[in-house]
Amino acid sequence: MAKKSKLVIIPTYNEIENVENIIRAVLALEGEYHILIIDDGSPDGTAEAVKRLAPEFPGRIFIIERSGKLGLGTAYIAGFKWALKKGYDYIFEMDADFSHDPNDLPRLLAACEEGGADFAIGSRYADGVSVVNWPIGRIIMSYYASVYTRTVLRTKIKDSTAGFLCYSRKVLEGIDLDAVKMKGYGFQIEMKYTAVRKGFKVAEVPVIFVNRKAGTSKMSGSIFGEAFWGVIGLRFRKF
């Protein structure tokens, strides 16, 4: 059987302290992973660092440069469309700051390739709470955001806001990407819920989430506000 192609999408904004290291860590894995960086006009030189590194790994590092901060959701949608156009079989989401361990990428892939899932979530809450170095207030907010989402949307997903995923191609082909409305972390909820409502099988793979050591968090109160009200809207959307 032919080897399946794999693309890891990493959105960036001011990740100069992390971007080279995360790229090297992903590309060091067995299995010929490719990387697509989507940079939202980072003034710190993130995009330039990616382009300097690309010749060292011919045909494995790609970048989309956008002008300004256009939102996490729009970055991933742009990446998904690019990946589908290029014919990738598995498309991953992950952060640039090492909060997601690159060594877990093969575990997410295995949940799809060997475990029969259509998409796999790197879940902080599949087996208790697996978060390191987060303030207790943020842990509580994140955990109960997933409880709230699970209750309102009546799903079994324990980590609905997770941003560490593996999608099989057919999931992204089966979703109208232009109809995805939320742009912040609510985007993560909307994508998972839409996939489940369309009948795709999900697996949650327990991972340990480690708070970033370098760079600045992009979280804000408005992100959570969008997710809160967006979940209510999703509950009444027709599919």
Side-chain angles (χ1 to χ4, degrees):
M1 184 174 66
K3 183 168 63 176
K4 301 291 187 178
S5 56
K6 302 172 284 293
L7 179 72
V8 180
I9 302 174
I10 305 177
T12 57
Y13 181 77
N14 284 351
E15 292 290 356
I16 191 64
E17 296 171 275
N18 295 304
V19 70
E20 180 174 347
N21 290 334
I22 195 70
I23 288 173
R24 289 189 181 279
V26 171
L27 297 186
L29 297 170
E30 294 183 5
E32 192 72 15
Y33 290 81
H34 291 184
I35 288 179
L36 173 63
I37 299 292
I38 302 179
D39 187 72
D40 273 5
S42 299
D44 70 349
T46 297
E48 287 72 21
V50 174
K51 288 184 280 189
R52 285 196 300 269
L53 190 59
E56 188 176 334
F57 301 93
R60 297 183 67 191
I61 301 174
F62 306 94
I63 185 168
I64 294 174
E65 295 181 78
R66 309 197 304 172
S67 57
K69 296 179 71 175
L70 302 177
L72 180 76
T74 65
Y76 275 125
I77 293 297
F80 293 159
K81 290 180 177 180
W82 188 94
L84 293 176
K85 184 177 179 180
K86 298 294 183 180
Y88 284 94
D89 299 296
Y90 292 102
I91 299 95
F92 298 80
E93 297 183 15
M94 76 177 297
D95 292 346
D97 60 8
F98 283 94
S99 54
H100 304 142
D101 186 348
N103 292 309
D104 286 327
L105 288 169
R107 298 176 59 227
L108 297 182
L109 179 65
C112 295
E113 276 198 316
E114 302 167 18
D118 297 311
F119 70 107
I121 301 167
S123 178
R124 298 161 293 184
Y125 309 126
D127 187 16
V129 178
S130 299
V131 177
V132 177
N133 293 335
W134 255 10
I136 187 64
R138 188 167 173 186
I139 293 174
I140 292 171
M141 182 180 294
S142 173
Y143 178 79
Y144 281 102
S146 284
V147 172
Y148 163 76
T149 300
R150 191 162 65 246
T151 302
V152 173
L153 298 182
R154 301 177 185 176
T155 73
K156 296 180 180 180
I157 296 174
K158 293 184 178 179
D159 194 354
S160 56
T161 61
F164 192 24
L165 295 100
C166 173
Y167 286 106
S168 63
R169 179 184 180 86
K170 66 181 179 180
V171 174
L172 299 183
E173 288 179 328
I175 292 174
D176 181 358
L177 297 175
D178 291 324
V180 177
K181 296 179 180 180
M182 287 191 268
K183 295 182 178 181
Y185 279 80
F187 161 82
Q188 302 291 7
I189 299 171
E190 185 172 359
M191 282 292 298
K192 296 178 187 68
Y193 181 62
T194 302
V196 169
R197 283 294 302 269
K198 286 185 171 290
F200 293 109
K201 183 179 178 181
V202 59
E204 288 195 76
V205 178
V207 300
I208 297 174
F209 181 97
V210 181
N211 195 27
R212 67 162 64 234
K213 294 181 179 179
T216 304
S217 173
K218 313 304 186 296
M219 296 296 291
S220 69
S222 62
I223 286 174
F224 283 101
E226 181 205 43
F228 179 87
W229 294 110
V231 166
I232 295 174
L234 282 176
R235 177 68 180 83
F236 299 101
R237 184 184 299 180
K238 293 182 179 179
F239 288 83

